[in-house]
Amino acid sequence: MLAVILALCSAACGGAADFVGGTASKRLSAFLVVLGNQFIGLVLIVGFIIAIGAWPGEWDFLWWAVGAGVTALVGLVAFYQALATGKMSVVAPIAALGAVVPVAWGLLTGDEPAMFQVVGILIALVGIVLASGPELEGGTGMRPLMLAVLAAVGFGSHMALLGEAAEVSALGTIMVMKASMVIPLLVLVTLVGRIATGLVLNRSTVALFVGLALLDLGANAFFTAAIQQGMLSIVAVLGSLYPVFTVLLARAIHGERLVGPQPFGVGAALAGVALIAAAG
């Protein structure tokens, strides 16, 4: 049960981060939002590790964590590019299917969920896709579709690799993962200076980046803690429920209506969680 609670906390933080980041991207470059968030997150986690004296004693997790950071970055870049050239209602549900990757990885590496949990996983996966607001009519170009698939693979691989690394060192994993995202972004800014054009580091912008960084760190911290308590195949699905929290926040704060299959998706996701928790 503890793993379920921690994974849901991870999803809540991730959903809130997506909501805040998506709102911020309406006035700032999405690239700058990601860079600011990840850079401050790296500074915070390094400072925290030094403050409590929890520097990793073993580095067996290193390459798993580097892989988690690189795949997360690939997923983010592909996702934003897909959103820029295609319909969100087509792109988001495809990207949400990335949850299938860590589920499959967990099952292949020895997870043995109970029958009720398997049913809950399947229902929750359907709920995640429906809550993302899939377009039931119309379509989009091939390039956004391929980018959305790449985003799904990136996000899914990120969770699988993060799960492997977290078994050794949760804090060390988050630190290395953040560094693996920040370093390529800083190199890119150095090579292509115009990317950072228009960035004004005033009090509100810094506060936004800090808030995003804390939510993102919370999502990662809860996820790694959940992995240490439960099976990857279950934790990954529950941690992937962030689209549900995003649409609920949009509904509560911006008054956005749940349209099309979204209400059914939220209901299915909650039903899946109930089955997983009941069997846990």
Side-chain angles (χ1 to χ4, degrees), residues 24 27-29 32-33 36 40 194-209:
R27 64 183 180 87
L28 291 173
S29 161
L32 293 177
V33 172
I40 291 178
R194 61 185 175 83
I195 291 177
T197 301
L199 176 62
V200 179
L201 288 178
N202 52 34
R203 183 177 298 178
S204 63
T205 302
V206 172
L208 170 68
F209 288 162

PDB file of all heavy atoms in Angstrom, residues 24 27-29 32-33 36 40 194-209:
ATOM      1  N   ALA A  24       3.118  28.247 -17.990  1.00  0.00           N
ATOM      2  CA  ALA A  24       4.271  29.142 -18.146  1.00  0.00           C
ATOM      3  C   ALA A  24       4.746  29.203 -19.596  1.00  0.00           C
ATOM      4  O   ALA A  24       5.221  30.249 -20.057  1.00  0.00           O
ATOM      5  CB  ALA A  24       5.413  28.672 -17.243  1.00  0.00           C
ATOM      6  N   ARG A  27       3.913  32.034 -22.087  1.00  0.00           N
ATOM      7  CA  ARG A  27       4.610  33.333 -22.127  1.00  0.00           C
ATOM      8  C   ARG A  27       6.128  33.198 -22.194  1.00  0.00           C
ATOM      9  O   ARG A  27       6.824  34.180 -22.433  1.00  0.00           O
ATOM     10  CB  ARG A  27       4.210  34.172 -20.914  1.00  0.00           C
ATOM     11  CG  ARG A  27       4.609  33.603 -19.565  1.00  0.00           C
ATOM     12  CD  ARG A  27       4.100  34.492 -18.433  1.00  0.00           C
ATOM     13  NE  ARG A  27       4.458  33.996 -17.109  1.00  0.00           N
ATOM     14  CZ  ARG A  27       5.593  34.277 -16.494  1.00  0.00           C
ATOM     15  NH1 ARG A  27       6.492  35.042 -17.084  1.00  0.00           N
ATOM     16  NH2 ARG A  27       5.842  33.797 -15.274  1.00  0.00           N
ATOM     17  N   LEU A  28       6.645  31.992 -21.985  1.00  0.00           N
ATOM     18  CA  LEU A  28       8.078  31.745 -22.090  1.00  0.00           C
ATOM     19  C   LEU A  28       8.328  30.589 -23.051  1.00  0.00           C
ATOM     20  O   LEU A  28       7.463  29.743 -23.241  1.00  0.00           O
ATOM     21  CB  LEU A  28       8.677  31.385 -20.719  1.00  0.00           C
ATOM     22  CG  LEU A  28       8.752  32.473 -19.648  1.00  0.00           C
ATOM     23  CD1 LEU A  28       9.201  31.853 -18.331  1.00  0.00           C
ATOM     24  CD2 LEU A  28       9.714  33.573 -20.058  1.00  0.00           C
ATOM     25  N   SER A  29       9.508  30.545 -23.638  1.00  0.00           N
ATOM     26  CA  SER A  29       9.890  29.420 -24.487  1.00  0.00           C
ATOM     27  C   SER A  29       9.855  28.127 -23.688  1.00  0.00           C
ATOM     28  O   SER A  29      10.340  28.072 -22.551  1.00  0.00           O
ATOM     29  CB  SER A  29      11.303  29.640 -25.042  1.00  0.00           C
ATOM     30  OG  SER A  29      11.872  28.437 -25.487  1.00  0.00           O
ATOM     31  N   LEU A  32      13.234  27.131 -22.529  1.00  0.00           N
ATOM     32  CA  LEU A  32      13.738  27.843 -21.361  1.00  0.00           C
ATOM     33  C   LEU A  32      13.071  27.360 -20.078  1.00  0.00           C
ATOM     34  O   LEU A  32      13.699  27.306 -19.019  1.00  0.00           O
ATOM     35  CB  LEU A  32      13.505  29.345 -21.532  1.00  0.00           C
ATOM     36  CG  LEU A  32      14.309  30.016 -22.643  1.00  0.00           C
ATOM     37  CD1 LEU A  32      13.934  31.482 -22.764  1.00  0.00           C
ATOM     38  CD2 LEU A  32      15.810  29.878 -22.392  1.00  0.00           C
ATOM     39  N   VAL A  33      11.803  26.998 -20.162  1.00  0.00           N
ATOM     40  CA  VAL A  33      11.097  26.469 -18.998  1.00  0.00           C
ATOM     41  C   VAL A  33      11.752  25.164 -18.540  1.00  0.00           C
ATOM     42  O   VAL A  33      11.992  24.959 -17.350  1.00  0.00           O
ATOM     43  CB  VAL A  33       9.603  26.239 -19.313  1.00  0.00           C
ATOM     44  CG1 VAL A  33       8.923  25.493 -18.159  1.00  0.00           C
ATOM     45  CG2 VAL A  33       8.901  27.566 -19.556  1.00  0.00           C
ATOM     46  N   GLY A  36      15.408  25.995 -17.154  1.00  0.00           N
ATOM     47  CA  GLY A  36      15.366  26.638 -15.853  1.00  0.00           C
ATOM     48  C   GLY A  36      14.953  25.675 -14.756  1.00  0.00           C
ATOM     49  O   GLY A  36      15.551  25.631 -13.670  1.00  0.00           O
ATOM     50  N   ILE A  40      17.771  24.463 -11.823  1.00  0.00           N
ATOM     51  CA  ILE A  40      17.522  24.751 -10.405  1.00  0.00           C
ATOM     52  C   ILE A  40      17.318  23.452  -9.634  1.00  0.00           C
ATOM     53  O   ILE A  40      17.762  23.312  -8.492  1.00  0.00           O
ATOM     54  CB  ILE A  40      16.306  25.685 -10.254  1.00  0.00           C
ATOM     55  CG1 ILE A  40      16.654  27.068 -10.799  1.00  0.00           C
ATOM     56  CG2 ILE A  40      15.872  25.785  -8.788  1.00  0.00           C
ATOM     57  CD1 ILE A  40      15.527  28.068 -10.759  1.00  0.00           C
ATOM     58  N   ARG A 194      20.767  32.110 -29.546  1.00  0.00           N
ATOM     59  CA  ARG A 194      19.459  32.736 -29.756  1.00  0.00           C
ATOM     60  C   ARG A 194      18.329  31.990 -29.043  1.00  0.00           C
ATOM     61  O   ARG A 194      17.235  32.523 -28.876  1.00  0.00           O
ATOM     62  CB  ARG A 194      19.153  32.823 -31.252  1.00  0.00           C
ATOM     63  CG  ARG A 194      19.080  31.484 -31.956  1.00  0.00           C
ATOM     64  CD  ARG A 194      18.906  31.680 -33.460  1.00  0.00           C
ATOM     65  NE  ARG A 194      18.940  30.421 -34.182  1.00  0.00           N
ATOM     66  CZ  ARG A 194      17.912  29.606 -34.327  1.00  0.00           C
ATOM     67  NH1 ARG A 194      16.749  29.938 -33.783  1.00  0.00           N
ATOM     68  NH2 ARG A 194      18.019  28.479 -35.008  1.00  0.00           N
ATOM     69  N   ILE A 195      18.598  30.735 -28.613  1.00  0.00           N
ATOM     70  CA  ILE A 195      17.570  29.975 -27.897  1.00  0.00           C
ATOM     71  C   ILE A 195      17.149  30.703 -26.627  1.00  0.00           C
ATOM     72  O   ILE A 195      15.984  30.685 -26.237  1.00  0.00           O
ATOM     73  CB  ILE A 195      18.084  28.561 -27.547  1.00  0.00           C
ATOM     74  CG1 ILE A 195      18.225  27.734 -28.825  1.00  0.00           C
ATOM     75  CG2 ILE A 195      17.139  27.854 -26.583  1.00  0.00           C
ATOM     76  CD1 ILE A 195      18.783  26.354 -28.581  1.00  0.00           C
ATOM     77  N   ALA A 196      18.134  31.359 -25.974  1.00  0.00           N
ATOM     78  CA  ALA A 196      17.854  32.020 -24.699  1.00  0.00           C
ATOM     79  C   ALA A 196      17.403  33.462 -24.870  1.00  0.00           C
ATOM     80  O   ALA A 196      17.193  34.173 -23.883  1.00  0.00           O
ATOM     81  CB  ALA A 196      19.098  31.974 -23.817  1.00  0.00           C
ATOM     82  N   THR A 197      17.228  33.910 -26.112  1.00  0.00           N
ATOM     83  CA  THR A 197      16.796  35.280 -26.353  1.00  0.00           C
ATOM     84  C   THR A 197      15.435  35.532 -25.718  1.00  0.00           C
ATOM     85  O   THR A 197      14.513  34.739 -25.851  1.00  0.00           O
ATOM     86  CB  THR A 197      16.709  35.555 -27.863  1.00  0.00           C
ATOM     87  OG1 THR A 197      17.996  35.323 -28.453  1.00  0.00           O
ATOM     88  CG2 THR A 197      16.295  36.996 -28.123  1.00  0.00           C
ATOM     89  N   GLY A 198      15.314  36.648 -25.052  1.00  0.00           N
ATOM     90  CA  GLY A 198      14.023  37.009 -24.453  1.00  0.00           C
ATOM     91  C   GLY A 198      13.862  36.572 -23.009  1.00  0.00           C
ATOM     92  O   GLY A 198      12.854  36.905 -22.376  1.00  0.00           O
ATOM     93  N   LEU A 199      14.850  35.841 -22.471  1.00  0.00           N
ATOM     94  CA  LEU A 199      14.749  35.399 -21.092  1.00  0.00           C
ATOM     95  C   LEU A 199      15.090  36.550 -20.146  1.00  0.00           C
ATOM     96  O   LEU A 199      16.158  37.132 -20.235  1.00  0.00           O
ATOM     97  CB  LEU A 199      15.687  34.223 -20.829  1.00  0.00           C
ATOM     98  CG  LEU A 199      15.753  33.725 -19.377  1.00  0.00           C
ATOM     99  CD1 LEU A 199      14.383  33.214 -18.930  1.00  0.00           C
ATOM    100  CD2 LEU A 199      16.805  32.646 -19.222  1.00  0.00           C
ATOM    101  N   VAL A 200      14.172  36.893 -19.274  1.00  0.00           N
ATOM    102  CA  VAL A 200      14.389  37.933 -18.272  1.00  0.00           C
ATOM    103  C   VAL A 200      14.286  37.287 -16.888  1.00  0.00           C
ATOM    104  O   VAL A 200      13.217  36.821 -16.497  1.00  0.00           O
ATOM    105  CB  VAL A 200      13.344  39.063 -18.405  1.00  0.00           C
ATOM    106  CG1 VAL A 200      13.591  40.117 -17.324  1.00  0.00           C
ATOM    107  CG2 VAL A 200      13.403  39.687 -19.789  1.00  0.00           C
ATOM    108  N   LEU A 201      15.401  37.258 -16.177  1.00  0.00           N
ATOM    109  CA  LEU A 201      15.424  36.601 -14.872  1.00  0.00           C
ATOM    110  C   LEU A 201      14.975  37.575 -13.777  1.00  0.00           C
ATOM    111  O   LEU A 201      15.762  38.011 -12.936  1.00  0.00           O
ATOM    112  CB  LEU A 201      16.820  36.051 -14.578  1.00  0.00           C
ATOM    113  CG  LEU A 201      17.245  34.828 -15.385  1.00  0.00           C
ATOM    114  CD1 LEU A 201      18.669  34.423 -15.031  1.00  0.00           C
ATOM    115  CD2 LEU A 201      16.288  33.667 -15.163  1.00  0.00           C
ATOM    116  N   ASN A 202      13.681  37.889 -13.781  1.00  0.00           N
ATOM    117  CA  ASN A 202      13.141  38.706 -12.700  1.00  0.00           C
ATOM    118  C   ASN A 202      12.640  37.802 -11.584  1.00  0.00           C
ATOM    119  O   ASN A 202      12.733  36.581 -11.659  1.00  0.00           O
ATOM    120  CB  ASN A 202      12.021  39.613 -13.213  1.00  0.00           C
ATOM    121  CG  ASN A 202      10.957  38.826 -13.966  1.00  0.00           C
ATOM    122  OD1 ASN A 202      10.670  37.673 -13.629  1.00  0.00           O
ATOM    123  ND2 ASN A 202      10.380  39.448 -14.984  1.00  0.00           N
ATOM    124  N   ARG A 203      12.081  38.405 -10.550  1.00  0.00           N
ATOM    125  CA  ARG A 203      11.669  37.644  -9.371  1.00  0.00           C
ATOM    126  C   ARG A 203      10.597  36.606  -9.704  1.00  0.00           C
ATOM    127  O   ARG A 203      10.646  35.469  -9.241  1.00  0.00           O
ATOM    128  CB  ARG A 203      11.156  38.592  -8.296  1.00  0.00           C
ATOM    129  CG  ARG A 203      10.771  37.906  -6.995  1.00  0.00           C
ATOM    130  CD  ARG A 203      10.329  38.908  -5.952  1.00  0.00           C
ATOM    131  NE  ARG A 203      11.410  39.832  -5.622  1.00  0.00           N
ATOM    132  CZ  ARG A 203      11.265  40.835  -4.747  1.00  0.00           C
ATOM    133  NH1 ARG A 203      10.105  41.033  -4.148  1.00  0.00           N
ATOM    134  NH2 ARG A 203      12.298  41.626  -4.487  1.00  0.00           N
ATOM    135  N   SER A 204       9.645  36.975 -10.540  1.00  0.00           N
ATOM    136  CA  SER A 204       8.549  36.058 -10.864  1.00  0.00           C
ATOM    137  C   SER A 204       9.036  34.865 -11.686  1.00  0.00           C
ATOM    138  O   SER A 204       8.585  33.735 -11.482  1.00  0.00           O
ATOM    139  CB  SER A 204       7.436  36.793 -11.616  1.00  0.00           C
ATOM    140  OG  SER A 204       7.898  37.286 -12.852  1.00  0.00           O
ATOM    141  N   THR A 205       9.985  35.107 -12.593  1.00  0.00           N
ATOM    142  CA  THR A 205      10.516  34.021 -13.414  1.00  0.00           C
ATOM    143  C   THR A 205      11.310  33.038 -12.568  1.00  0.00           C
ATOM    144  O   THR A 205      11.158  31.816 -12.699  1.00  0.00           O
ATOM    145  CB  THR A 205      11.420  34.575 -14.543  1.00  0.00           C
ATOM    146  OG1 THR A 205      10.670  35.484 -15.340  1.00  0.00           O
ATOM    147  CG2 THR A 205      11.925  33.440 -15.426  1.00  0.00           C
ATOM    148  N   VAL A 206      12.146  33.569 -11.684  1.00  0.00           N
ATOM    149  CA  VAL A 206      12.931  32.701 -10.799  1.00  0.00           C
ATOM    150  C   VAL A 206      12.008  31.902  -9.884  1.00  0.00           C
ATOM    151  O   VAL A 206      12.205  30.698  -9.666  1.00  0.00           O
ATOM    152  CB  VAL A 206      13.929  33.527  -9.963  1.00  0.00           C
ATOM    153  CG1 VAL A 206      14.609  32.653  -8.917  1.00  0.00           C
ATOM    154  CG2 VAL A 206      14.975  34.170 -10.873  1.00  0.00           C
ATOM    155  N   ALA A 207      10.975  32.561  -9.345  1.00  0.00           N
ATOM    156  CA  ALA A 207      10.016  31.866  -8.475  1.00  0.00           C
ATOM    157  C   ALA A 207       9.318  30.750  -9.234  1.00  0.00           C
ATOM    158  O   ALA A 207       9.081  29.660  -8.691  1.00  0.00           O
ATOM    159  CB  ALA A 207       8.999  32.861  -7.930  1.00  0.00           C
ATOM    160  N   LEU A 208       8.990  31.021 -10.496  1.00  0.00           N
ATOM    161  CA  LEU A 208       8.349  30.002 -11.333  1.00  0.00           C
ATOM    162  C   LEU A 208       9.263  28.801 -11.504  1.00  0.00           C
ATOM    163  O   LEU A 208       8.839  27.644 -11.328  1.00  0.00           O
ATOM    164  CB  LEU A 208       8.009  30.597 -12.699  1.00  0.00           C
ATOM    165  CG  LEU A 208       7.560  29.607 -13.780  1.00  0.00           C
ATOM    166  CD1 LEU A 208       6.209  29.008 -13.427  1.00  0.00           C
ATOM    167  CD2 LEU A 208       7.517  30.276 -15.136  1.00  0.00           C
ATOM    168  N   PHE A 209      10.523  29.038 -11.847  1.00  0.00           N
ATOM    169  CA  PHE A 209      11.479  27.950 -12.050  1.00  0.00           C
ATOM    170  C   PHE A 209      11.703  27.158 -10.760  1.00  0.00           C
ATOM    171  O   PHE A 209      11.798  25.926 -10.790  1.00  0.00           O
ATOM    172  CB  PHE A 209      12.814  28.503 -12.559  1.00  0.00           C
ATOM    173  CG  PHE A 209      12.785  28.985 -13.987  1.00  0.00           C
ATOM    174  CD1 PHE A 209      13.769  29.826 -14.474  1.00  0.00           C
ATOM    175  CD2 PHE A 209      11.765  28.600 -14.842  1.00  0.00           C
ATOM    176  CE1 PHE A 209      13.754  30.262 -15.785  1.00  0.00           C
ATOM    177  CE2 PHE A 209      11.735  29.033 -16.155  1.00  0.00           C
ATOM    178  CZ  PHE A 209      12.731  29.871 -16.631  1.00  0.00           C
TER     179      PHE A 209
END
